[in-house]
Amino acid sequence: MISALKRAADRAARTPKRLWATAFALFFALSASWSLATPLGGSPDEHAHFIRAAAVARGQLGGPEVMVPHVVAGIEGHFAETGVRLPQWYAELPTQHDCYAWQEDEPASCAPAVGQSEKTVQVTTAAGRYHPAYYLATGWPSLLAKGPNALYLMRLVSAALCSALLAGAVVTAAEWRRRSVALLGVFAAVTPMALYMGGMVNPSGGEIAAGVLVWTALLSILMAPDRQLLNRRLARVGIGGLVLINIRPLGLIWFAGAVFFALLLQQRGVLGPVLRSKALWVWTGLLGAATAGALLWAGAHPDNSVINTPKTLTMKEAARQTFGNTETYVHQMLGYFGWLDTPAPAFTWLVWLGVLAVLVALGLVYGRGRHVVALLGMLVAVVVVPVVAQALQAEKLGMVWQGRYLLPFAVGLPLMAVMTAASRSLEGPHGGFPWRRLTGFAVAGLALANAAAFFWTLRRFAVGTSGPWVPFAAHWAPPGGWALWTAVYTAAAFALVLPALARDREPGVPGDRPQQDDAAARPWQHRPRVPAAR
């Protein structure tokens, strides 16, 4: 059985195109399962993103400002929303399903059906200030269908876009000589929450997927240098960076943070050849133009919302509360579904946190001084960044921070840890450490924890948390039924980690011979056979 799995893994990773296609198909199966197994309107603010996407697809990049009464985290205020003209059924999308949101015992069957009226009316969206690029990419299916079909199609397009970015990260990690270890870092970074958001119409999904690609490509360029792969790795950084910078205002900060930490981990002598690459300056120019465009858009579309925050919510108090919520934010990065009212089971959190702890510990053990400083700095940043960000904005916006906001940056932690361990561990086929065994147990645990999170969440929507463990008599069921998507998700979760079981390319560690041009530096290029002496 084990040998059969290894053969399947080797076949999947035989060429970069095959590996990309395999990874894309499996990531899409996972994210699309979330797309179809989550009730419409059952994820954070998705109604606003549906409306924004449909409006942008119809050429409505902006609209009149409309002040809408709203309550956020118990604080009343008026949101500055954007008015657009859409079919009336968009106006009937629920802002949140009060009948089951935050009521864990209540299944999603109480939710009203989506309307069908095509009469054009004004609809408002709180996402009207956001850059239109993501919404143009996901909103076009709304021109082809209406009602639930249009909404599901938009979700599936989002899932496909995120899956393409994540597949690029898998191919990049597989270019390392010790690819099984590098791939473990990618799979640990792609949490169930990342897959869940990828399957929704929400810019968080694309932001997280782009963050994984940027981190993986940057660390590969600077820690496992290879002239033959430099241009394609720079292209991946550029593509991921363009998505990250254009999708949300915070993307520029996350991109800069990834560059900063990657530079701390660079191999000696690697930066010079990178700076001399023409491709670097082409992509730098494109990213600079994207940054200017994103800043101009943000400056031209300020948030004029008025939130009646209490006078007691000072900067100091906001910082104190945010620091106290650190554990909650970590759990939200791993898996908090629905309207942040459906936490993943404890099993998922324990397994994922256990794998992360082992990876970080190995990075600290094998890393040199600056590697240790970078890893410890990243750990501190994961805690401090939310505290600073929310303290600066709480008096104006209230306590609005969510764990997923940090995830495009925090995905760098497991990637930094495994790539430090992979590049600094001892020489030899296994580097003096049972990497193969660790990788096998870790990826199997992550796959099981991932499947458990999906089943637990789907069960909550079907029968509520107090319902039967196996929801045969489901009150609510997704298209195709809960059993189908549970089976698809579980199969894809285990199949996805197979490339991590494939044989490493050759003994040694990545980057131990910087900038070499021989065949050993070209992971997917076969060496020519030497004819036997006659």
Side-chain angles (χ1 to χ4, degrees):
M1 179 65 177
I2 295 177
S3 60
L5 289 175
K6 289 182 178 179
R7 287 195 299 271
D10 289 336
R11 287 195 297 270
R14 187 168 296 168
T15 66
K17 290 183 179 179
R18 178 180 294 185
L19 180 59
W20 187 92
T22 301
F24 171 80
L26 293 173
F27 275 126
F28 180 72
L30 293 167
S31 291
S33 295
W34 282 116
S35 299
L36 296 169
T38 302
L40 295 173
S43 64
D45 301 316
E46 195 177 26
H47 66 288
H49 300 299
F50 277 139
I51 294 170
R52 174 66 169 155
V56 171
R58 289 163 172 78
Q60 301 178 55
L61 302 185
E65 186 175 83
V66 181
M67 301 303 290
V68 178
H70 202 62
V71 178
V72 176
I75 300 175
E76 296 182 355
H78 286 77
F79 274 15
E81 299 195 356
T82 302
V84 295
R85 305 287 297 181
L86 289 175
Q88 185 174 345
W89 63 268
Y90 282 98
E92 299 169 0
L93 292 176
T95 57
Q96 62 194 39
H97 286 318
D98 290 327
C99 68
Y100 72 86
W102 301 291
Q103 301 182 51
E104 59 183 15
D105 292 336
E106 188 70 36
S109 54
C110 63
V114 176
Q116 296 289 332
S117 175
E118 288 294 307
K119 178 183 176 181
T120 301
V121 299
Q122 177 172 279
V123 188
T124 63
T125 170
R129 297 179 295 105
Y130 295 164
H131 197 287
Y134 168 79
Y135 297 100
L136 180 61
T138 55
W140 60 267
S142 67
L143 302 174
L144 308 178
K146 63 180 181 180
N149 290 337
L151 304 181
Y152 281 123
L153 282 175
M154 283 193 276
R155 280 184 173 181
L156 292 174
V157 169
S158 178
L161 294 174
C162 294
S163 299
L165 295 169
L166 294 174
V170 168
V171 172
T172 306
E175 291 167 351
W176 285 59
R177 290 192 186 89
R178 185 167 290 143
R179 64 182 175 189
S180 59
V181 183
L183 284 169
L184 174 57
V186 174
F187 297 140
V190 184
T191 65
M193 192 65 179
L195 295 168
Y196 173 73
M197 295 311 303
M200 303 297 111
V201 177
N202 192 309
S204 280
E207 191 180 23
I208 296 165
V212 175
L213 178 58
V214 166
W215 273 101
T216 308
L218 275 174
L219 293 173
S220 296
I221 289 170
L222 297 175
M223 297 182 71
D226 187 330
R227 285 177 180 167
Q228 300 297 322
L229 299 173
L230 179 58
N231 285 349
R232 70 180 66 173
R233 287 173 171 175
L234 287 171
R236 292 166 192 159
V237 173
I239 292 170
L242 289 174
V243 175
L244 199 57
I245 290 170
N246 283 312
I247 208 164
R248 281 183 191 266
L250 284 174
L252 181 58
I253 299 175
W254 304 147
F255 184 81
V259 172
F260 172 78
F261 280 101
L263 287 173
L264 286 180
L265 297 174
Q266 65 175 296
Q267 270 198 11
R268 183 177 302 173
V270 72
L271 197 56
V274 173
L275 292 175
R276 290 192 294 269
S277 169
K278 293 181 180 179
L280 172 69
W281 299 108
V282 171
W283 284 107
T284 299
L286 291 174
L287 291 170
T291 299
L295 292 176
L296 288 172
W297 178 272
H301 299 82
D303 185 0
N304 296 318
S305 301
V306 179
I307 309 298
N308 301 319
T309 55
K311 294 182 179 180
T312 55
L313 189 59
T314 62
M315 182 182 295
K316 180 179 179 181
E317 176 61 20
R320 185 191 66 80
Q321 291 186 28
T322 305
F323 181 76
N325 290 335
T326 297
E327 182 180 356
T328 299
Y329 297 143
V330 171
H331 286 168
Q332 289 177 353
M333 286 191 282
L334 299 180
Y336 241 94
F337 311 105
W339 278 78
L340 300 183
D341 61 349
T342 306
F347 173 77
T348 298
W349 290 345
L350 291 173
V351 170
W352 224 280
L353 289 173
V355 170
L356 291 174
V358 170
L359 297 181
V360 172
L362 288 172
L364 293 173
V365 167
Y366 282 111
R368 289 180 177 176
R370 58 192 173 87
H371 299 96
V372 173
V373 169
L375 284 170
L376 292 178
M378 189 67 179
L379 283 169
V380 171
V382 169
V383 176
V384 171
V385 168
V387 174
V388 174
Q390 185 144 261
L392 294 175
Q393 296 291 322
E395 291 179 292
K396 180 181 178 181
L397 301 178
M399 301 290 289
V400 297
W401 188 267
Q402 298 176 23
R404 62 186 171 94
Y405 297 161
L406 186 66
L407 199 48
F409 175 70
V411 295
L413 179 61
L415 290 166
M416 289 171 59
V418 297
M419 292 181 179
T420 295
S423 62
R424 299 304 314 164
S425 57
L426 300 177
E427 298 281 347
H430 301 288
F433 186 86
W435 291 110
R436 303 277 297 169
R437 185 173 300 176
L438 169 67
T439 302
F441 281 117
V443 296
L446 293 177
L448 187 60
N450 199 355
F454 182 83
F455 173 77
W456 186 262
T457 304
L458 184 50
R459 171 181 169 269
R460 178 260 182 273
F461 289 138
V463 295
T465 56
S466 62
W469 274 84
V470 181
F472 287 118
H475 299 287
W476 176 88
W482 66 268
L484 170 64
W485 298 115
T486 299
V488 169
Y489 195 91
T490 302
F494 279 93
L496 178 64
V497 300
L498 279 179
L501 303 179
R503 290 189 298 268
D504 288 337
R505 301 209 170 278
E506 58 181 273
V509 294
D512 56 351
R513 289 172 289 178
Q515 304 299 335
Q516 57 186 330
D517 289 317
D518 61 347
R522 306 171 194 172
W524 265 294
Q525 181 170 329
H526 298 290
R527 297 186 182 186
R529 293 182 180 179
V530 178
R534 295 182 180 275

